[in-house]
Amino acid sequence: MLTTGMLRSPDKLLVLMKQQINNIITADSKSTSKFTEIFDWIANKNEKITVSQHPAAVRAFYLQCS
């Protein structure tokens, strides 16, 4: 985040980071399955609760818990 804050336009960097993450995740079908399982669990947990925090913060909390 420090790097993106220092750039005039961090869009390219963030797009490249996202592409690399997608490549890593999709490279191994076992990993993809595990990630899908974790993200589905997080989505289900997020739907079942009502909190004042931003939904991304709640998802980050559950991702940390997994």
Side-chain angles (χ1 to χ4, degrees):
M1 291 316 221
L2 178 61
T3 303
T4 57
M6 295 170 63
L7 297 173
R8 287 185 188 159
S9 178
D11 297 342
K12 269 188 172 178
L13 175 63
L14 294 174
V15 168
L16 289 172
M17 289 172 63
K18 182 183 181 305
Q19 288 173 345
Q20 287 299 316
I21 291 168
N22 288 342
N23 290 339
I24 291 168
I25 290 173
T26 57
D28 181 14
S29 63
K30 269 189 178 177
S31 295
T32 303
S33 175
K34 187 64 176 169
F35 282 117
T36 302
E37 189 178 305
I38 291 170
F39 292 141
D40 287 345
W41 176 77
I42 291 170
N44 287 334
K45 286 289 192 182
N46 197 36
E47 288 174 3
K48 293 180 182 178
I49 63 168
T50 303
V51 293
S52 60
Q53 283 78 16
H54 192 278
V58 175
R59 290 190 302 268
F61 170 76
Y62 282 119
L63 183 59
Q64 182 66 32
C65 292
S66 64

